[in-house]
Amino acid sequence: MKFFVKKFRLRFLLNVGINQQLDLQTSVRVQLANLIAILGILSNLQYSVLFTIAGAPNHVIMNVIHLFVICSLVFILYLNFKEKYSLARILLTITISIPLVFVSMVSFGNSGGFYYYFLVFALSPFVLFSYEDKYWILLVFLVNNLFYVWFEFFGKPGAFIEGTLLYNPQIQELFRVNSVVSCLFFIALIMFYFLRNTSRIQNEMVRTNQHKDRIFSILAHDLKGPIGTMNSYLGFLTETLPNREEMLIALKELKKSTNQSYLVLENLLDWVRNESKKIPAHLETLNLKSLVQNAKDILELQASDKGIDWEIMVSDQLTVYCDERMISTVIRNVISNAIKFSHPKGKVLITCSMGPKYVALNIIDNGIGMTHEQMNQIGEGKPFPTTFGTQGEKGTGLGLLVCTEMLKSQGCTMDVTSSPNQGTKITIQIPISA
């Protein structure tokens, strides 16, 4: 029963057909199409009952038409579910006008004011279609306006049977008032929903521009240094004849700059993929010690330059269930930060402990630590301003932000314990291999 209620609640119906691959504008149009279809289903059900109770002329025929329209609107929701969005919108703009044509021709005439709905439906294509569909928009707009003009100026009042509720002029006027109020309500609801989503589009544009500026800033500043260093040392190696000691120093600096550039680019690409929701997790059984050792091998030069002492206490037999690329990026970022913010000759300790359903990987340093505000930024998923390590190492501010999002996508969590000048302990909880 709970499953049934969940599947048919309003929010679910409004989001039928929405997926992560859709851009925001298309998502808005699909949601509006779903909203109009739902309103159409409810409206046809309502009028089917009212026509029967009030004794409207040819109400049996109208009930058959209402049933046909309701089935068509349900089919339109199904088309959106199957991602046939254009066909769904075209059928919607045709279907919603069908009951109005028949109710004004075979039942009420122009007595109930139902033809006012044509004015509402004349506006609907402007919020359902993009500018590229302008000819279809104009066609639907003109056809609905022609229907309105025809029934307003050339339509005839309905022939109501004496003894029915509709024979009373006051009941007829009540239907007219209901038509006007319903039209205004539908316009207000659709426009309110449209404005709400327009605000979402504007916010998305602002967010996208901020991300673009941040990407350009990282490319301009955080890659300029290491690439400039590589260029200088490559020039030195190609233009001079260095001795063995000079060559080793140059090669070490090249390797360090290459690693730094690689980490910056990987963090940047992972962040962009995560923001665009195109970074699916591929979960598999992995050896935790191998993951930690691979990260240590990549960062060995960075650690040795600062005289960092490693201590790794992770069992060789311990396995975890996660995405290899994602968890490797997380472990590498956390260890890199531990080295970056450790004092020269400091120590990085990596341990693990077993929980009932997860392995807790602890990465501990005795460096400069973090403030309470910085830990709150991690918990809220906010990007850091660019920070510098104890020897002026520069970062992007994206590392822990990327890590937090990656861990969420594979069922992992991260806890941070830190105090200024007291070091930092980061615990990554990873599901145990099944």
Side-chain angles (χ1 to χ4, degrees), residues 218-228 260-262 264-265 268:
I218 292 168
L219 292 175
H221 297 96
D222 298 330
L223 286 179
K224 184 178 179 181
I227 291 176
Q260 186 179 350
S261 300
Y262 174 78
V264 170
L265 278 174
L268 183 61

Side-chain angles (χ1 to χ4, degrees), residues 15 55 86 134 136 144 285 324:
N15 290 310
S86 296
K134 53 184 175 292
W136 175 254
N144 279 281
T285 301
E324 182 175 9

Side-chain angles (χ1 to χ4, degrees), residues 139-150:
L139 176 63
V140 175
F141 177 78
L142 291 173
V143 168
N144 279 281
N145 274 285
L146 286 174
F147 276 134
Y148 170 77
V149 170
W150 174 264

Side-chain angles (χ1 to χ4, degrees), residues 76-95:
I76 288 166
L77 291 173
Y78 174 76
L79 288 176
N80 278 336
F81 175 74
K82 301 300 284 187
E83 301 180 6
K84 298 181 179 179
Y85 307 120
S86 296
L87 178 59
R89 291 197 292 266
I90 291 171
L91 288 178
L92 180 62
T93 53
I94 295 171
T95 302

Side-chain angles (χ1 to χ4, degrees), residues 315-359:
S315 171
D316 292 335
Q317 285 75 41
L318 202 56
T319 57
V320 290
Y321 189 65
C322 52
D323 181 286
E324 182 175 9
R325 187 182 62 80
M326 288 186 183
I327 202 66
S328 296
T329 299
V330 171
I331 294 173
R332 190 165 55 247
N333 267 284
V334 174
I335 296 177
S336 177
N337 280 344
I339 297 169
K340 175 181 172 183
F341 295 110
S342 289
H343 299 290
K345 308 295 182 181
K347 182 177 181 178
V348 174
L349 174 64
I350 303 174
T351 66
C352 66
S353 57
M354 293 292 297
K357 295 182 180 179
Y358 61 84
V359 174

